């Protein structure tokens, strides 16, 4: 329990990174994002994800377009913008760097 | 039979059971509050409503058109608490901490400022009629001091014997003076706990965090379930009470057929206490006057004099009776009108309840007078003893 709590801020910080990664693959619908995250350590709920996506959109990293669905009203499909792709590339590099540092310090 | 409330979720109509509606309303109100500082608040709330609507669709079919409380609770559980950390539009790095995976560390970072006016919850003495034995005074005291009501009742009984009955007087005074807790806020104030959707959701968040992070999660889950049931019962009761209050107001104060007015705003606590005192005093005065009047009437009928005061020459017996009746009306009518006005100021006027109270007060004054006369008036004492002896003889012969 203690370890889990200690790692909570880490997961929290990484969630944005992971959402950018998921959105980068193809244009996705919120339920897709939740499904991808469910079952991982980063399982997330709508209550958290919608505000986060709204923030990313305001920062110009993702955007959405409306798409008709077979059942129900049109859905928002999210995709990365150019700025989002640049940010994700930077985060990827940074993450690789962190991994390297951790591995080196361990030995 | 349940009441169903139709709501619009992002533009589509959904039928919810009344307590499901209350739960969803609390969740969305909390979401709006948490997002108050967010520039995209409206859009996020619309997204959330859409997500809830989608989940409701899952529960509905051609043969099931109403969403139940249990289903809404499950949906709210799936949605999770709304992350209210207001992201700063400029600082991306700083605000990236705003998104938390479900149910994590709500205590570590107070995601949102406390609501305006939130201090320590007010604690006030109220009478609580739910589960009351007599009037709810002990119940209210128990809530106020956070004791078991049985202990308070036992204390009252023991004190009654120790003080020779003074405690009963104290109870009577409290019964008249202490207002009833009728709204959910008043019920909360009676226990000194805050009661609003935000706090409920805050508690839920904490419980969820404990639940997610705990190793012995099974025990936590059952505790959480218990807590949720308790909260749910509280919300349901609050809704019921609000309705009852509204009905009482409508049928009590408004003439039948009049358009239903808004529910009465509960009078402030001090005004409640004051009006309670006023009601008690007015009731006692009225009762004393009524008894005096009846005694005067009897005295006139049996002795021809009014309590030793002989009628002036030329005034006949019947005229005296008419004059007495007119005097009674002249004195009693303003007293009754004043009582009605005070009851009205308290928000609700129940004619049967007022009549019952008047009866009880009159009976109490009569008993007190009888008890006093038994001890201090030799004639009355002898009369009672005589009646008792006659009754005992009769009982023996049977």
């Amino acid at each position: 329990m203690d370890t889990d709590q200690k790692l909570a801020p880490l997961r929290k910080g990484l969630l944005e990174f992971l959402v950018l990664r998921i959105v980068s693959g193809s244009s996705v619908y919120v339920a897709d994002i939740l499904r991808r995250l469910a079952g991982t350590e980063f399982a997330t709920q709508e209550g958290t994800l919608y505000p986060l996506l709204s923030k990313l959109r305001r920062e110009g990293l993702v955007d959405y377009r409306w798409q008709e669905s077979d059942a129900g009203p049109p859905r928002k499909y999210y995709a990365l913008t150019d700025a989002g792709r640049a940010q994700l590339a930077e985060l990827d590099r940074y993450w690789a760097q962190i991994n390297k540092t951790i591995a080196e310090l361990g030995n | 039979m349940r009441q169903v409330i139709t709501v619009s979720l992002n533009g589509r109509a959904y039928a919810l059971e009344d307590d499901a509606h209350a739960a969803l309303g609390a969740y969305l109100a909390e979401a709006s509050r948490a997002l108050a500082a967010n520039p995209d608040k409206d859009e996020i709330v619309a997204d959330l409503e859409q997500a809830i609507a989608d989940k409701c669709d899952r529960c509905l079919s051609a043969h099931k058109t109403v969403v139940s409380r249990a289903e809404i609770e499950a949906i709210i559980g799936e949605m999770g608490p709304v992350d209210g950390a207001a992201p700063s539009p400029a600082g991306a790095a700083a605000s990236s901490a705003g998104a938390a995976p479900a149910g994590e560390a709500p205590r570590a970072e107070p995601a949102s400022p406390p609501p305006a006016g939130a201090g320590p919850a007010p604690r006030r003495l109220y009478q609580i009629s739910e589960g009351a034995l007599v009037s709810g005074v002990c119940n209210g005291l128990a809530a106020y001091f956070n004791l078991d009501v049985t202990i308070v009742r036992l204390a009252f009984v023991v004190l009654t014997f120790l003080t020779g009955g003074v405690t009963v007087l104290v109870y009577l005074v409290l019964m008249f003076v202490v207002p009833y807790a009728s709204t959910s806020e008043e019920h909360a104030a009676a226990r000194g706990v805050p009661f609003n959707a935000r706090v409920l959701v805050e508690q839920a968040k904490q419980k969820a965090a404990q639940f997610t992070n705990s190793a012995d999660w099974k025990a936590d889950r059952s505790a959480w379930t218990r807590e949720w049931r308790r909260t749910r019962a509280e919300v349901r009761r609050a809704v019921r009470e609000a309705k009852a209050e509204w009905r009482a107001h409508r049928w009590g104060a408004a003439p039948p057929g009049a358009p239903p007015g808004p529910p009465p705003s509960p009078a402030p606590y001090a005004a409640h206490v004051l009006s309670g005192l006023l009601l008690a005093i007015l009731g006692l005065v009225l009762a004393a006057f009524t008894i005096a009047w009846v005694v005067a009437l009897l005295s006139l009928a049996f002795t021809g004099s009014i309590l030793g005061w002989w009628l002036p020459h030329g005034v006949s017996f019947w005229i005296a009776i008419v004059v007495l009746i007119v005097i009674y009306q002249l004195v009693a009518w303003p007293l009754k009108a004043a009582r009605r006005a005070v009851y009205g100021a308290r928000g609700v006027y129940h004619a049967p309840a007022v009549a019952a109270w008047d009866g009880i007060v009159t009976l109490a004054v009569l008993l007190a007078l009888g008890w006093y006369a038994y001890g201090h008036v030799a004639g009355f004492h002898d009369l009672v003893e005589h009646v008792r002896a006659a009754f005992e003889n009769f009982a023996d012969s049977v």
Side-chain angles (χ1 to χ4, degrees), chain A residues 2 22 26-27 34 38 42-43 54 65 72 75 88 99:
Chain A
D2 281 347
I22 293 172
S26 60
S27 106
L34 291 172
F42 298 87
S54 140
R65 62 192 164 79
R75 313 242 178 254
L88 179 59
N99 272 333

Side-chain angles (χ1 to χ4, degrees), chain B residues 15 17 27 37-38 64-65 90 103 114-116 122 127 149 156 170 192 195 234 252 299 309 338 342 380:
Chain B
E17 282 178 12
Y27 177 78
N38 195 309
K64 182 178 179 307
T65 56
Q127 293 187 65
V149 66
F156 247 94
V170 172
F195 184 91
E234 213 162 336
S299 145
W309 180 72
V342 176
F380 188 77

